[in-house]
Amino acid sequence: MDWLWNFGEFWLTTLAWLAGFGVVFGLLTRLMPCNPGMAWWKNPRGTATDLVYWLIVPLFLRVVRTVMLVLGVALLFGGRDPQPLPVGGWPLWLQCLAILVLQDVMLYVIHRAFHTRLAWRFHAVHHSPTELDWTATARFHPVNNLLAFSLADVAVLLLGFKPEALVLLAPFNIVYSAMVHANLNWTFGPLRYVFASPVFHRWHHTTREEGLDKNFASTFPVLDLLGGTFYMPAGRLPDAFGTGEAHFPETFWGQFVYPWQSAPGVTRAWRKWVRVAAPVAVLACVGIYGYAFLAERNEKLANEANQIRVRQWRAEASRHAAQLDLARQACRDNDIARATTLLDASFPESEEQEYVRDLCRARCLLVAGKGGPILGVALSADGRRIVTGDHEGRVTVYDAASGREEMTHRGHVGPVSCVAIAPDGRRIASGGHDGTAQAWDVAARHLVNSHEHPAAVLAVALRADGQRVVSADAVSNVEIWDAANGQRRTAHRGQEGAIAAVALSGDGQRLVSCQRTTAVVHDEATMQDAMPLEGHADLVSCVGITPDGLRVVTGSHDQSVRAWDLATWQTLVLRGHTGAVTAVAVSGDGTRIVSGGKDRVVRVWDALTGRASLALRGHTGAISGVGISADGRRIVSASLDGTLAIWDVAACVADDRPR
């Protein structure tokens, strides 16, 4: 019954707004009425209709705006995330002001269009109240709302304005719209040409001949001055409202079907069909909205449950810490029987307890993220600093010892799909679905430079000195550019299809890119295809390379990890994952490999023998990224469940622990 709860939340909020407006404007219209004796409560049937508009139409608009936004992205940007525009970097207050002006211009033009003969039947619904008061604020035919307010909102989002600006403007727009419809005698005096007042807008609603087709602006009357439609005579107030039709329908259903039934040439059969189809259409929209709301709430509940689970795991791990230390000491004393007893007593065999066992054994620090999936992670070679990129567009830097957040950068519009960090942790690189790759200075806490791609950036890598960045995108481009000035040095285009991963050797001489089922080793200076690494049976999704460029590790959706020795051309196949391998990393000395996959397990391998030394559990979602320090003692892993795990593998009891 979550959908009832979601509807209830929305309706309670709406009723709170209505109650507040009723008190405030009820008092004000008693003190300063424009038309004494006119009040919304004198027409109960009209008030009931307005209440339906307040409670139902916004639900419809939420669905419609989402659909319009998706269609707009598909038509204007070919389905890819829009390229970021400068307006997205403006301060929020400036974006809000720009949106107010831009939308008022759009709505002025659209409003005038709705006063033409072709569209008037839809807009007449808004003009139908004869007792005009603040309650009529929401009385718009859904088609009018769709082609006016929804279109205006979607337009500013497609232009690059942040959704946060629209959210901040929403309360202002609701209050202002209710105020200009209220039965108040306010004219705003000398500011009458700057801001729309109740009297200004009531002249727009009047049925008097002199006020017809006047005062179209929603907020700034200067648009009417420029358009020759401003009318606000001094010392006079409008006193008659409505459409002028004697039998205009007063019910929601009657007004919903009115535009089609009143059109010239409409037959009786058509009117009957519309009367049946209208409620079905509205109920369908409400159902779609309820489903979307339910999905959103379920995702929220899942994130909250994950946060609770993380806290429970931490508490469980803490409770078992003392007994685990005794087990480790027993292993060091070669007292196998005692170690077995301690471990089995502390950790009964179940999947969840297996997670706790691994969290304890590796002295894992499990860090809960900020609610969204973590899509990429990297660990500096010295093991001191971690960087993550998440679905909400954040690039976050953590202290690896404490898990404390050091800083968060917001430079991408949309999800951050990949991150990289220099060995000393001073410079990081990130790539996003917005088609940009960015270089950040951690110490100075600012964006060094940005480089644009024609499509979403799926992989980034940094040279050891942090001066050169490699970025690859979804349309097979691999580009090498200077972090200092953003200038492109080398570009390479592979076969048709996305470049899923890239890796760069410490000296910057060798670069590996992954596309389809093959990894290709390039000479970094010329980007010539030096050697293909073939053998995987499915998509190669991740790659790692040692600093000397002699060993390459790849992971694939075929559930295997392959270690390639470029000096001897020997290949080691590592099997153990039960799902697609989505992340790999290799220690600086090339002796230890770490991998993660959709099976939610982080596995540590001996790179020389191919033997799995550790299987670390603690995430509840697919592993999206892993990293390992140069000495192989510290491992990080990130997951789509929104958690970041920092593993001290040097503290682990060996995986072949006594049982």
Side-chain angles (χ1 to χ4, degrees), residues 121 254 257-264 266 270-272 274-275:
R121 289 188 298 274
V257 301
Y258 168 80
W260 294 286
Q261 290 190 318
S262 63
V266 173
W270 170 255
R271 290 191 181 98
K272 186 176 181 180
V274 169
R275 195 173 292 276

Side-chain angles (χ1 to χ4, degrees), residues 34 51 86 115 187 189 199 217 283 291 341 358 380 405 474 519 583 594 602 618 622 650:
C34 178
L51 183 63
H115 275 253
T187 63
V199 172
L283 289 174
Y291 176 80
T341 301
D358 287 337
S380 61
E405 179 184 323
V594 59
V602 177

